[in-house]
């Protein structure tokens, strides 16, 4: 057990350094850079070099104890900044998933309606193309249908119900599970998770961790954006960090929702067996709608 706790402590320390301290140190360096240059000397490399040399000389002249204290202060400041950013990450997550605050309800409704209307237009366009060539299709006709289908799935995997693309990917999995299997994942997911194989849970955990890391990365754009008050190039840094986090989050959400849908397809019957629900004695194959509805009734418990 001692070895286990040592490894756990090492893992936690590594995570603390990578998620809080290192980004915080970089940000504190950005603060020093912004204060040293300001707007008027934003790209003055000569001034920056002189300031860095003076700062290094000042640190070298400090007593050993003062240098150690300075390191502690910098690390504490970096960690404190990291904790603040981690707290703000929840806000970033809600924004990206379309869970906007109630005062923005009208904006959410309008954005969701716009996405839904666009989705229905693409569905109608695809069906019109399919009706126009009901029999054997030429390659050009099939390519045209496939192009519209790809545009449709890029927009949303099911009828949009959220204001953002990431939110709709999560919503689509819930919608598909309910309409295809009668399974309400809002109540059924925690039960399904407990019966999933370890390998499946590991894949889902990795995808979710990638999303959480991307959200944290994107949130670091906020403090850098605040630096634009004293140093305008910080906006370029903020934009780069924000776009990087956003792109990684989209990829992570796509992976997570694809894996979640696959888990429902492959292991829904395992959940049915665990709950004593089953229309047929077979132990393989996807859930039937009646089985999913009975599972939903069980896990909802009348709620």
């Amino acid at each position: 057990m001692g070895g286990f706790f040592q490894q756990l402590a090492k893992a936690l320390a590594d995570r603390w350094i990578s998620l809080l301290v290192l980004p915080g140190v970089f940000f504190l360096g950005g603060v020093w850079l912004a204060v040293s240059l300001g707007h008027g000397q934003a790209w003055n490399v000569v001034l920056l070099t002189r300031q860095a040399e003076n700062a290094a000389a000042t640190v070298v002249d400090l007593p050993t104890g003062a240098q150690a204290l300075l390191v502690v202060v910098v690390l504490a400041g970096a960690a404190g900044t990291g904790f603040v950013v981690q707290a703000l990450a929840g806000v970033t997550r809600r924004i990206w998933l379309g869970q906007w605050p109630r005062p923005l309800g009208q904006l959410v409704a309008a954005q969701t309606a716009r996405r839904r209307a666009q989705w229905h237009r693409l569905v109608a366009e695809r069906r019109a193309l399919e009706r126009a060539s009901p029999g054997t299709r030429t390659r050009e006709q099939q390519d045209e249908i496939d192009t519209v289908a790809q545009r449709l799935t890029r927009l949303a995997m099911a009828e949009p119900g959220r204001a953002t693309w990431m939110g709709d990917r999560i919503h689509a999995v819930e919608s598909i599970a309910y309409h295809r299997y009668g399974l309400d994942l809002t109540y059924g997911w925690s039960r399904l998770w407990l019966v999933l194989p370890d390998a499946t849970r590991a894949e889902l955990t990795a995808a979710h961790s990638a999303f959480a890391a991307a959200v944290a990365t994107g949130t670091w754009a906020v403090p850098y954006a605040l630096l634009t008050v004293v140093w305008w190039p910080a906006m370029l840094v903020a934009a780069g960090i924000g776009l990087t986090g956003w792109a990684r989050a989209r990829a992570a959400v796509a992976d997570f929702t694809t894996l979640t849908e696959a888990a429902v397809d492959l292991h829904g019957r395992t959940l049915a067996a665990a709950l004593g629900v089953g229309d047929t004695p077979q132990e393989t194959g996807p859930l039937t709608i009646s089985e999913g509805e009975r599972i939903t009734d069980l896990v909802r418990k009348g709620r």
Side-chain angles (χ1 to χ4, degrees):
M1 290 297 290
F4 168 76
F5 283 113
Q6 289 176 1
Q7 290 298 320
L8 178 60
K10 182 177 183 298
L12 291 175
D14 292 343
R15 187 172 180 83
W16 180 75
I17 291 173
S18 63
L19 292 182
L20 298 180
V21 177
L22 286 180
V25 168
F26 280 118
F27 175 71
L28 292 182
V31 172
W32 176 83
L33 184 65
V35 173
S36 299
L37 297 180
H39 291 302
Q41 304 292 332
W43 298 108
N44 193 330
V45 179
V46 175
L47 175 60
L48 176 61
T49 303
R50 188 184 311 121
Q51 294 279 24
E53 291 174 348
N54 293 337
T58 301
V59 172
V60 170
D61 291 338
L62 291 174
T64 303
Q67 291 179 352
L69 180 61
L70 179 61
V71 171
V72 171
V73 170
V74 170
L75 291 178
T81 305
F83 279 122
V84 172
V85 171
Q86 290 296 308
L88 292 174
V91 178
T92 304
R93 179 188 180 97
R94 292 183 66 85
I95 291 174
W96 285 355
L97 293 181
Q99 300 169 341
W100 300 351
R102 186 171 298 177
L104 299 178
Q106 291 185 346
L107 180 60
V108 171
Q111 175 68 1
T112 304
R114 184 191 65 80
R115 290 177 54 81
R116 187 179 293 121
Q118 184 180 0
W119 190 83
H120 281 293
R121 283 196 300 270
L122 290 172
V123 170
E125 182 178 351
R126 177 181 177 178
R127 289 176 177 172
L129 290 172
E130 290 173 340
R131 287 195 300 268
S133 54
T136 303
R137 301 185 180 109
T138 65
R139 178 176 294 276
E140 290 75 15
Q141 290 173 326
Q142 187 61 52
D143 287 344
E144 190 175 6
I145 293 173
D146 292 343
T147 299
V148 176
Q150 290 172 2
R151 290 168 55 198
L152 180 65
T153 54
R154 278 200 304 267
L155 176 63
M157 301 297 290
E159 183 180 15
R162 300 291 184 271
T164 64
W165 183 90
M166 292 187 220
D168 261 334
R169 287 298 297 237
I170 303 294
H171 171 73
V173 175
E174 297 172 345
S175 177
I176 291 170
Y178 187 75
H179 290 97
R180 174 62 181 83
Y181 299 123
L183 179 62
D184 186 348
L185 284 182
T186 302
Y187 293 94
W189 175 250
S190 58
R191 281 81 172 176
L192 178 61
W193 176 262
L194 293 176
V195 300
L196 290 176
D198 290 341
T200 303
R201 285 195 284 186
E203 292 289 340
L204 288 166
T205 300
H208 188 270
S209 297
F211 175 65
V215 170
T217 298
T219 307
W220 276 102
V222 176
Y224 281 99
L226 295 177
L227 282 184
T228 58
V229 175
V230 293
W231 190 56
W232 66 264
M235 182 56 70
L236 302 177
V237 180
I241 293 174
L243 289 174
T244 299
W246 177 76
R248 290 179 178 177
R250 282 175 62 98
V253 165
D255 290 342
F256 179 73
T257 52
T258 299
L259 289 169
T260 301
E261 185 177 344
V264 174
D265 292 339
L266 297 175
H267 302 290
R269 186 166 293 281
T270 305
L271 176 61
L275 293 174
V277 173
D279 292 336
T280 62
Q282 64 183 15
E283 297 181 357
T284 59
L287 285 172
T288 64
I289 291 180
S290 62
E291 289 172 337
E293 289 175 343
R294 288 159 63 189
I295 292 174
T296 296
D297 289 339
L298 282 172
V299 299
R300 277 183 174 175
K301 297 182 175 66
R303 287 172 289 190

